[in-house]
Amino acid sequence: MALRFEVLGRFNRARAARLTLPHFVCQTPLFMPVGTQGTIKGLTTEQLEEIGCQIILGNTYHLALRPTSELIDDLGGLHKFMNWPRALLTDSGGFQMVSLLHLADITEEGVTFQSPVDGKPMLLTPEESIQIQNRIGADIIMALDDVVKTTITGPRIEEATYRTIRWIDRCIEAHKRPNEQNLFGIVQGGLDPVLRDICVRGLVDRNLPGYAIGGLAGGESKDSFWRVVAQCTASLPEEKPRYVMGVGYPLDIVVCSALGADMYDCVYPTRTARFGTALVPEGVLKLKHKAMADDTRPIDPTCDCMVCKNYTRAYIHCLVTKDAMGSQLLSYHNLYYMLKLSRNLHSSIIKGTFPEFVREFLQTMFPKGDVPEWVCNAMEVAGIDISSCCTPFSSPQD
């Protein structure tokens, strides 16, 4: 095992921790920007350090296609290849089963993809996924799991759950760098509490360095989403990190942190930036709107990032979707916002002010008191009183 996880503070289920990895000492809760092919679009690694990024996520499937894991290995691993001194996490390629399903065929042996580069078939087995990740050299590597959308029901969910447990043993057997890289298992089971519990128990029995909650953020209702997170975090070991995969909306991260999760990743902050949308405490700000054309305020007057200190909404309005600089500036701001949110979650739990932080966050985002019912329900389970933020007749919002 090549990590140390120390819980430094708690509020009910929420926890703030120090996660020591081979390349960096991280603070949780933490958000990980997604750099699919070893880059966060439009930002340098120096800028990512500057705004406090702790871990970058890379995509095994895409890196294996181009530039290939063999080349990355020959050039000293992904850290050296992309000039990133801090921590890296690589996913297993399993998510592409869902996102590229028209290109994939799933069997017990593994997943056969049709390469989007040259059209040739590419077999990704649990062994091959781990071998690729061993060559890439990330601090955290993910087991290959059988991923299905949460909106699918029936025997396919059960098949995927048990296959994920079978595949974890093949991943463990194939992992040749356990003293340098940490293999995390991924809890599957769809929206079925029984299958989720079976998968949690099966993975915990393997005593892995950390655990992820997979198969969410794929179209299920928010009420189903938080209940799966709550169930899994309650059953996973206290002394190991818990990673909710594919979650990047600020509200979701606050709720999941209250329920006891530690790590998150998503393309949302940078992808939405490329469409001209900024993340702000009130929610989102659409810079493409005509009202922004002569607005001389910064994106967020309360933000200390380089973009908010130096550029107006009017200037960015001129750039968005027309000039690469627009998406670069918005990506910088949005990631700054997400990383500052992570730091604020950590510090409020340490200081014992987490409930106050959550209430202030919700009051800013929902000034009329229309906090979604699913958030109210989740916070009740998390033991955080947000009644002062809610009107009596809040309606569910997905």
Side-chain angles (χ1 to χ4, degrees):
M1 195 178 298
L3 67 72
R4 190 164 71 252
F5 186 75
E6 305 159 86
V7 176
L8 306 175
R10 299 178 189 274
F11 185 86
N12 291 343
R13 295 172 65 144
R15 70 252 194 99
R18 181 188 297 119
L19 172 61
T20 304
L21 295 168
H23 287 88
F24 199 65
V25 179
C26 309
Q27 292 183 334
T28 72
L30 68 80
F31 176 77
M32 300 177 286
V34 177
T36 300
Q37 290 190 285
T39 178
I40 309 292
K41 288 186 177 73
L43 298 183
T44 67
T45 51
E46 289 81 7
Q47 286 176 313
L48 291 166
E49 280 191 78
E50 182 183 291
I51 62 176
C53 179
Q54 305 181 82
I55 306 178
I56 293 174
L57 185 142
N59 184 285
T60 294
Y61 170 77
H62 291 288
L63 289 168
L65 287 174
R66 194 184 65 217
T68 76
S69 60
E70 289 83 2
L71 178 63
I72 291 171
D73 191 21
D74 289 345
L75 296 177
L78 188 56
H79 285 92
K80 189 173 180 182
F81 185 64
M82 65 183 286
N83 188 33
W84 177 245
R86 297 184 178 181
L88 286 168
L89 180 150
T90 44
D91 68 6
S92 63
F95 177 69
Q96 276 63 46
M97 293 183 204
V98 169
S99 63
L100 301 174
L101 196 57
H102 62 290
L103 300 176
D105 180 39
I106 304 157
T107 65
E108 189 64 27
E109 186 181 7
V111 194
T112 303
F113 294 103
Q114 182 185 342
S115 168
V117 176
D118 57 16
K120 292 179 181 176
M122 167 187 171
L123 176 64
L124 186 66
T125 64
E127 292 80 8
E128 178 67 10
S129 173
I130 298 302
Q131 287 160 13
I132 292 169
Q133 293 185 82
N134 280 166
R135 288 193 288 268
I136 291 170
D139 300 67
I140 296 172
I141 64 176
M142 304 305 299
L144 186 65
D145 54 339
D146 188 350
V147 185
V148 290
K149 283 187 176 179
T150 45
T151 49
I152 290 174
T153 56
R156 178 70 185 97
I157 296 288
E158 185 171 352
E159 176 189 49
T161 303
Y162 284 101
R163 180 174 286 147
T164 293
I165 297 171
R166 290 193 298 274
W167 279 3
I168 190 66
D169 291 323
R170 291 169 60 184
C171 291
I172 292 167
E173 179 67 25
H175 184 24
K176 302 306 180 192
R177 300 179 65 186
N179 296 322
E180 303 160 274
Q181 295 179 287
N182 300 283
L183 174 63
F184 280 28
I186 305 173
V187 179
Q188 291 293 343
L191 304 180
D192 186 324
V194 174
L195 291 176
R196 284 280 177 179
D197 192 48
I198 288 167
C199 201
V200 166
R201 289 203 309 271
L203 295 178
V204 170
D205 283 348
R206 273 71 177 176
N207 191 29
L208 298 162
Y211 302 90
I213 302 166
L216 293 175
E220 73 281 354
S221 72
K222 288 293 191 185
D223 198 60
S224 299
F225 163 77
W226 82 259
R227 290 181 191 280
V228 170
V229 173
Q231 178 193 351
C232 294
T233 53
S235 303
L236 288 167
E238 273 289 316
E239 72 283 2
K240 302 284 181 72
R242 306 162 182 161
Y243 163 28
V244 187
M245 304 181 80
V247 168
Y249 293 133
L251 178 60
D252 293 359
I253 287 175
V254 170
V255 170
C256 290
S257 297
L259 293 170
D262 308 298
M263 302 167 64
Y264 314 94
D265 82 280
C266 193
V267 297
Y268 171 69
T270 45
R271 180 173 287 170
T272 201
R274 294 195 290 277
F275 288 98
T277 300
L279 303 180
V280 292
E282 295 77 17
V284 296
L285 186 71
K286 295 185 182 296
L287 275 301
K288 287 194 289 187
H289 282 184
K290 289 180 181 177
M292 300 293 150
D294 58 357
D295 193 331
T296 57
R297 291 175 294 173
I299 293 171
D300 174 10
T302 68
C303 179
D304 294 324
C305 84
M306 171 272 291
V307 179
C308 290
K309 283 181 176 178
N310 293 292
Y311 301 100
T312 64
R313 296 177 181 186
Y315 177 68
I316 297 170
H317 170 81
C318 287
L319 298 177
V320 290
T321 72
K322 299 180 186 72
D323 189 291
M325 179 63 76
S327 62
Q328 287 171 15
L329 293 175
L330 281 180
S331 292
Y332 185 101
H333 165 81
N334 284 357
L335 288 180
Y336 183 95
Y337 175 89
M338 297 300 296
L339 298 167
K340 184 179 180 184
L341 174 63
S342 300
R343 290 192 294 272
N344 288 343
L345 287 166
H346 178 89
S347 61
S348 68
I349 296 168
I350 294 288
K351 293 174 184 173
T353 58
F354 183 61
E356 291 84 350
F357 173 81
V358 171
R359 285 192 286 268
E360 183 180 342
F361 177 89
L362 293 174
Q363 283 163 351
T364 304
M365 189 169 280
F366 304 100
K368 296 178 182 176
D370 52 341
V371 176
E373 189 176 349
W374 72 270
V375 176
C376 301
N377 293 338
M379 288 300 175
E380 186 176 353
V381 168
I384 296 174
D385 180 8
I386 60 166
S387 56
S388 61
C389 311
C390 306
T391 56
F393 302 106
S394 293
S395 59
Q397 293 179 16
D398 287 345

